[in-house]
Amino acid sequence: MIVGSSGLTSSVEKLKTIALMGAGAVVLKSIFEEQIKFEADKFMQSDNAEMKSWQEAFQGIVSKTEFYYDEALEYLTSYAKEHTLNQYLSLISDAKKAIDIPVIASINCSTQYDWQYFAKRIQEAGSDALELNVYLLPSDFEKNGDENEKVYFDIIQEVRKFVTIPVSLKIGYYFSSLAQTTLKLSETGIAGLTLFNRPYNPDIDISNLQINSSNMFSNDTEYSHTLRWVALLSGKLKCDIAASTGIHNHETVIKQLLAGADAVHLVSVFYKHHLHHFDILPEIIKGLESWMIQHNYNSISDFKGLLSRKNVHNPASYERVQFLRLFSNIE
Ligand SMILES: Cc1cc2nc3c(=O)[nH]c(=O)nc-3n(C[C@H](O)[C@H](O)[C@H](O)COP(=O)(O)O)c2cc1C
């Protein structure tokens, strides 16, 4: 049971509690290249003395030419990048000293250079593994499926050139051929796939006619999509599978394991439970253990994947998408 990437894993204090409560591993909050550009902006607007002198120098350069503007901005962004990255590397090394469960760093970059550079520095800081948080919305009318999906393969290839620690890939579900693409991704040498990230979703406020965001946190019924795909892919992929989204209780943990998950990530449940308290984690572990005793299972491997598509008599239960006769009597 892994506490997934989020603000829950962004400080050593919280990581200590998470380890104490029995988590098997933690994925640190992702470091986003986008966030670094935001840091650069913040830097420009900050009003402490050191920043002020930078801003003045920057303004001096800016007023000269367009060329200088670009150079100055680039310099600033790379300063902010180094600053944010160093903070993240400290979190990794402090976490490694404070807890003895695996610490998995997570990155989301936009340039090839930074995917490589961040990955390399993260390995040097002592991270046990690295999760690549890649979520591309195939919304570009000019791009076909292959072009969109190539990005995932390129990122894995670039990162793996620079690190030897296990690399996992966390994805969304927007692929033109999810089964085949995940199979090919699993053959690139990655150690695991995390299925699925939960995207930021837009919503519409019909009173003010504005676009806003929908629920940030999942609820306990949102696991079905992940469950189906874990079951369909389990035993077929050449890497481990971690289930993510909507896992809020021991029953869902058990379901994901029966479907074939090698690990589960939990996030929203902690945000929703008593203001970030992790004390629900021992309860979930206890629930799993009681169920195992009840079913005479000594270890997870005794039942992992028992109900995956590969192992069930009626695989159609996972393949079916139309309700057909099942609900035809419901009026
Ligand atoms: C507040 C918040 C912050 C998150 N930040 C990240 C992140 O930095 N990187 C990432 O890969 N996923 C992030 N996620 C996604 C979670 O790791 C997880 O995949 C998703 O919330 C689905 O799991 P859940 O249903 O247990 O919440 C975040 C989720 C939440 C709610």
Side-chain angles (χ1 to χ4, degrees), residues 65-186:
T65 66
E66 187 74 14
F67 175 71
Y68 281 135
Y69 180 93
D70 287 350
E71 275 204 333
L73 193 64
E74 199 183 308
Y75 185 77
L76 227 101
T77 308
S78 78
Y79 177 90
K81 192 189 293 178
E82 210 49 36
H83 178 69
T84 312
L85 183 60
N86 283 335
Q87 280 182 329
Y88 197 71
L89 299 178
S90 302
L91 175 64
I92 295 172
S93 51
D94 292 347
K96 283 302 297 168
K97 280 180 223 140
I99 59 177
D100 55 10
I101 56 173
V103 174
I104 305 164
S106 169
I107 54 174
N108 173 287
C109 297
S110 46
T111 61
Q112 179 190 343
Y113 176 81
D114 279 343
W115 279 111
Q116 296 172 342
Y117 180 63
F118 284 25
K120 189 169 165 286
R121 298 284 307 274
I122 280 167
Q123 170 163 298
E124 285 163 5
S127 189
D128 293 293
L130 175 63
E131 186 167 82
L132 309 175
N133 168 10
V134 191
Y135 205 128
L136 304 174
L137 193 75
S139 57
D140 185 341
F141 289 95
E142 304 295 321
K143 281 190 180 159
N144 64 30
D146 279 349
E147 286 169 304
N148 282 318
E149 281 152 24
K150 184 174 178 298
V151 178
Y152 293 84
F153 291 89
D154 289 346
I155 291 169
I156 293 171
Q157 195 184 21
E158 291 309 326
V159 167
R160 290 200 68 248
K161 271 190 219 158
F162 284 79
V163 297
T164 50
I165 52 175
V167 171
S168 70
L169 178 72
K170 184 178 187 182
I171 54 173
Y173 34 75
Y174 297 117
F175 290 87
S176 50
S177 177
L178 191 51
Q180 192 183 75
T181 308
T182 48
L183 174 62
K184 285 185 183 160
L185 286 167
S186 77

Side-chain angles (χ1 to χ4, degrees), residues 5-6 29-30 32 133 170 197 217-218 244-246 267-268 271:
S5 183
S6 60
K29 177 154 184 54
S30 304
F32 291 93
N133 168 10
K170 184 178 187 182
N197 205 339
F217 305 119
S218 68
S244 169
T245 297
V267 173
S268 291
Y271 280 106

